[in-house]
Amino acid sequence: MFTKTELKENHRNNETHDASVSLSHLKKMAPIDIDFNDLTYTVPSGRKGTKVILKGICGQFKSGELSVILGPSGSGKSTLLNILAGYKSTGNVTGHISIDGQTQFKKMSCYIMQEDHLQPWLTVQEAMQFAVDLKLGNVSQTAKLTAIDEILNILRLRHARNTTTEGLSGGEKKRLSIALELVNNPPIIFLDEPTTGLDEISAAQCIELLKFLARLGRTVICSLHTPSASIFAKFDHVYVIAAGQCLYRSTVHNLVPFVCQVGIECPKHYNPADFAIEISAGEYGSEWINRMINAVDIQFPIVAVSRSTSFEFQLEKNVSKISWLEQFVVLSRRMLLQLFRNKNYLYLKISLHVFLGLVIGGLFLNMGNDGSKTLFNFGFCFACLIVFLYIPMLPILMNFPMEVKLIKREYFNMWYDLSAYYCAFTVVNIPGQVLLATIYLSMVYVITNQPLEFFRCAMFFGTCFVCAFIAESMALAIASTLNIVNGTFVGPAISVPLMLVSVQGMGEMEALPIYRKLIMYLSYIRYGLECLITALYGYNREKLDCPSTEIFCMFGGPRQVLRLMKMEHVIFWVDFTVLIIILIFLKILTYYLLRQRLKPNKMFQTLHLVGDLIKSHFNFNN
């Protein structure tokens, strides 16, 4: 008789075995082994100067094996995984990493991070379809659909193919993250804490699937925190780290005998993984750690495996990347689909613009053609610019930092070029921004009784559109660099000085000093304000109507308004051109900052190191 657990295990194995019968996409891979020697990693650490995370460790991960990196928190296991995957961009790394003698293997690997960053409004089938469209070039649609079916079958996601990713369970999200990276058949798979947030059954299923993928010839390496005994037994190779040094590197079955040989006996019915972590955490004394470090090189020496390196070049030939234009089209379709799926958010933004249109329109009701309320109409123009400063900015500051994490995963695993993504993101956002701005402007322009002349309407609307895009670009530049908390503070903090300096000199009789003018024209709001005032009162507009109740209508003449605001010599198209230049500059700056966030150069790496040094210094003082 079988127990319930055994029946479940047999069912799981049979299901996996059935999936492999028709497995034509995930073909058996040529063997690829990863070797690393004398690997050292240091980071700045306050007054102490530097902190050594990894201390000259060595090891080897072989193809066809499911390998796990174990160790207590702070031991360096995630750091080792990040360095092997090429994910670490800051700090000082020394040593040698290679596969079969080759030092460049990023194109052959994928990195599945601990957090499952997925497109929330796509179904599983759609997410897989976009993945194959981006990663498989020169492949027929039939072959792509076959690949999707096979991968969903092997990862047991066929039943959820029409479920949106936000509706998946934790285990299904993890399996989908793996499925998306299996599309281009990578021979090396890195996973950081793949069982985090999963229950025991889901975690066991995840590890069983990883083991099956390793049996197909892949090199599968993952880091784990505290695996259960049943999950630990599924691994082929174990690498234990303590304080940046290697305590053990061999099979699961050799762990307990090795520890006993060193002089520590593992209690019966005790999880060997927990026992190894307790030793590495120093619970049995630091002298046992030193004994294991000294014994591991003698007991388990690293034997280099010589293989043919011709496979690498053959692999790079077979990997056909789709063109930039195809990437742009696929990414645009994905963004548009998500935009339309998120209907509640779209309805909320439309409602907000309608609400603001009614409020601001009511505040400045019928002031556009009233000569006695010209100065109040100036307030209307300023209010419009404030609306198109904060409304486009705040959603970006709240949402884009999460998008950056998803971009980082996809870009690191070489789904697409960053320029293709950025251009698609920019183009897709234009219609929505224009539509929302048009809804607001159409309401307030009519309610406030502004001049209904086509060229004036076009100039007014066009200026507001460009100012909205500038605010959006500012927010993207901030969100590309900072997290949500810091970004939502920095964005409004920057916008306040921009508003204050833009209204300098208005109503003053004396000319402004040159330094105040320079500061004033550093604000794009100043150019936008001049454009709006000129659009409404410039170009020889006729005298404004004054109510019969007004005895003296001082600003009934548009020229008097322009003279008071010191805008009588403003040329609309000059200011509008400056706004376009500012917009282009911010777009380029955002792209540069986003690129440095994903792949920092030496200058940004130095800045990161300085920032880490300052943080550690303050933490040390506290």
Side-chain angles (χ1 to χ4, degrees):
M1 296 293 291
F2 292 101
T3 64
K4 190 174 182 181
T5 304
E6 289 173 335
L7 289 173
K8 286 183 178 180
E9 186 71 22
N10 290 334
H11 174 70
R12 190 159 56 239
N13 292 336
N14 291 335
E15 188 178 23
T16 305
H17 176 73
D18 294 339
S20 63
V21 173
S22 61
L23 204 60
S24 63
H25 175 68
L26 300 177
K27 297 179 180 177
K28 191 172 178 64
M29 305 298 300
I32 294 180
D33 303 322
I34 299 178
D35 296 273
F36 53 97
N37 298 297
D38 197 23
L39 197 62
T40 302
Y41 179 70
T42 58
V43 294
S45 179
R47 295 177 180 177
K48 298 179 182 180
T50 59
K51 180 180 179 181
V52 182
I53 306 297
L54 300 179
K55 304 174 182 178
I57 60 176
C58 304
Q60 183 182 70
F61 297 114
K62 296 181 180 180
S63 65
E65 294 183 349
L66 177 59
S67 302
V68 61
I69 303 174
L70 290 180
S73 298
S75 61
K77 60 182 184 297
S78 294
T79 301
L80 174 60
L81 190 72
N82 289 339
I83 292 174
L84 293 177
Y87 193 69
K88 278 289 182 184
S89 58
T90 59
N92 183 28
V93 181
T94 59
H96 183 72
I97 307 172
S98 66
I99 58 166
D100 303 332
Q102 302 292 323
T103 57
Q104 298 293 329
F105 55 93
K106 183 179 176 182
K107 291 183 179 180
M108 292 183 278
S109 67
C110 71
Y111 187 25
I112 300 170
M113 302 170 190
Q114 181 176 346
E115 298 181 15
D116 300 315
H117 298 295
L118 302 169
Q119 302 285 351
W121 301 103
L122 299 180
T123 64
V124 171
Q125 178 71 26
E126 290 166 346
M128 291 295 295
Q129 183 65 58
F130 284 118
V132 297
D133 288 342
L134 287 168
K135 302 176 85 170
L136 299 182
N138 302 324
V139 176
S140 65
Q141 187 63 26
T142 302
K144 290 179 180 179
L145 293 175
T146 302
I148 293 173
D149 289 339
E150 291 176 349
I151 294 173
L152 293 183
N153 189 29
I154 188 176
L155 296 180
R156 295 194 300 279
L157 287 170
R158 186 183 294 274
H159 67 282
R161 64 166 65 241
N162 295 320
T163 305
T164 57
T165 57
E166 66 173 0
L168 298 176
S169 65
E172 288 171 336
K173 287 181 179 179
K174 181 61 66 178
R175 296 204 297 272
L176 178 57
S177 297
I178 298 172
L180 294 172
E181 301 303 336
L182 286 181
V183 163
N184 59 336
N185 202 18
I188 305 173
I189 303 175
F190 298 98
L191 302 102
D192 185 19
E193 302 279 359
T195 60
T196 298
L198 304 183
D199 57 53
E200 182 66 21
I201 296 176
S202 298
Q205 291 175 346
C206 180
I207 299 302
E208 189 67 38
L209 290 169
L210 294 177
K211 188 169 184 176
F212 174 73
L213 295 174
R215 291 293 180 268
L216 293 174
R218 286 169 182 77
T219 305
V220 183
I221 309 165
C222 62
S223 65
L224 287 183
H225 187 57
T226 52
S228 64
S230 59
I231 290 177
F232 183 65
K234 297 178 185 296
F235 289 94
D236 303 307
H237 181 77
V238 182
Y239 194 93
V240 183
I241 296 181
Q245 294 180 288
C246 177
L247 268 64
Y248 178 79
R249 52 172 185 254
S250 185
T251 63
V252 173
H253 303 294
N254 288 336
L255 175 59
V256 174
F258 171 74
V259 175
C260 290
Q261 183 179 348
V262 172
I264 313 176
E265 185 176 353
C266 179
K268 291 183 179 180
H269 309 295
Y270 201 74
N271 182 3
D274 291 340
F275 184 61
I277 293 174
E278 287 174 3
I279 295 173
S280 59
E283 293 189 11
Y284 292 86
S286 59
E287 67 275 8
W288 297 111
I289 296 178
N290 295 328
R291 287 188 184 185
M292 292 180 68
I293 292 172
N294 295 329
V296 70
D297 289 328
I298 300 173
Q299 191 73 22
F300 305 110
I302 299 174
V303 180
V305 180
S306 60
R307 303 186 190 276
S308 172
T309 59
S310 60
F311 171 72
E312 178 182 358
F313 304 104
Q314 180 182 358
L315 177 70
E316 293 191 4
K317 279 183 186 176
N318 294 335
V319 176
S320 55
K321 192 175 182 180
I322 66 173
S323 66
W324 187 94
L325 182 59
E326 289 175 309
Q327 293 178 27
F328 173 81
V329 173
V330 173
L331 290 168
S332 298
R333 286 195 291 110
R334 189 176 75 172
M335 293 174 189
L336 284 172
L337 181 59
Q338 291 203 106
L339 183 65
F340 289 123
R341 286 275 173 82
N342 195 2
K343 292 181 180 178
N344 290 335
Y345 180 65
L346 188 60
Y347 294 153
L348 178 63
K349 293 186 76 172
I350 292 175
S351 302
L352 178 61
H353 282 76
V354 171
F355 173 75
L356 290 174
L358 293 174
V359 170
I360 294 177
L363 289 174
F364 300 95
L365 181 66
N366 294 326
M367 291 185 181
N369 200 36
D370 190 337
S372 64
K373 299 178 180 179
T374 304
L375 294 181
F376 294 102
N377 205 38
F378 161 79
F380 162 72
C381 296
F382 194 64
C384 288
L385 292 177
I386 294 175
V387 167
F388 291 115
L389 170 62
Y390 283 107
I391 299 303
M393 174 184 286
L394 294 179
I396 296 291
L397 295 177
M398 295 295 295
N399 296 324
F400 195 69
M402 296 300 297
E403 182 78 9
V404 170
K405 294 181 179 180
L406 191 146
I407 300 169
K408 196 170 186 178
R409 175 183 67 83
E410 294 179 342
Y411 177 75
F412 181 80
N413 290 324
M414 295 181 294
W415 285 39
Y416 43 72
D417 295 329
L418 181 60
S419 58
Y421 176 90
Y422 187 66
C423 289
F425 183 86
T426 302
V427 172
V428 167
N429 280 346
I430 291 175
Q433 199 68 259
V434 170
L435 174 63
L436 295 171
T438 302
I439 292 173
Y440 166 81
L441 290 171
S442 300
M443 295 177 63
V444 297
Y445 200 86
V446 174
I447 294 174
T448 57
N449 195 25
Q450 304 299 331
L452 296 176
E453 300 175 60
F454 177 76
F455 79 98
R456 295 188 189 276
C457 292
M459 289 190 293
F460 193 94
F461 279 48
T463 300
C464 291
F465 292 159
V466 175
C467 289
F469 291 133
I470 290 175
E472 180 187 70
S473 300
M474 287 173 51
L476 287 171
I478 295 170
S480 298
T481 308
L482 305 175
N483 57 27
I484 295 176
V485 175
N486 294 334
T488 50
F489 169 76
V490 171
I494 290 177
S495 64
V496 172
L498 291 176
M499 291 187 291
L500 293 177
V501 301
S502 66
V503 294
Q504 288 189 98
M506 293 184 178
E508 295 186 18
M509 301 304 296
E510 298 180 359
L512 291 176
I514 185 65
Y515 75 92
R516 289 185 63 184
K517 282 188 177 181
L518 289 175
I519 295 174
M520 178 177 65
Y521 281 107
L522 288 176
S523 172
Y524 83 92
I525 296 179
R526 175 68 185 194
Y527 298 101
L529 202 54
E530 290 183 353
C531 286
L532 295 184
I533 297 297
T534 305
L536 295 180
Y537 295 105
Y539 295 96
N540 299 318
R541 181 179 175 180
E542 296 180 357
K543 190 174 181 179
L544 305 178
D545 296 331
C546 289
S548 56
T549 55
E550 295 290 331
I551 301 175
F552 177 66
C553 194
M554 180 178 179
F555 299 109
R559 289 184 177 274
Q560 293 174 301
V561 178
L562 296 174
R563 191 175 299 111
L564 178 67
M565 299 297 175
K566 298 186 181 298
M567 296 182 184
E568 66 270 23
H569 301 300
V570 169
I571 301 175
F572 174 86
W573 296 110
V574 172
D575 281 15
F576 191 79
T577 302
V578 174
L579 288 175
I580 296 294
I581 294 172
I582 293 173
L583 175 60
I584 295 173
F585 170 76
L586 288 174
K587 288 293 182 184
I588 296 173
L589 176 64
T590 301
Y591 176 76
Y592 177 76
L593 293 175
L594 184 58
R595 188 171 189 83
Q596 296 309 315
R597 175 75 178 272
L598 304 181
K599 191 177 180 181
N601 56 24
K602 291 184 178 180
M603 183 185 73
F604 273 78
Q605 290 181 21
T606 304
L607 292 175
H608 282 302
L609 289 175
V610 171
D612 293 339
L613 186 62
I614 294 173
K615 288 179 184 177
S616 60
H617 175 75
F618 281 109
N619 292 335
F620 179 80
N621 289 336
N622 293 333

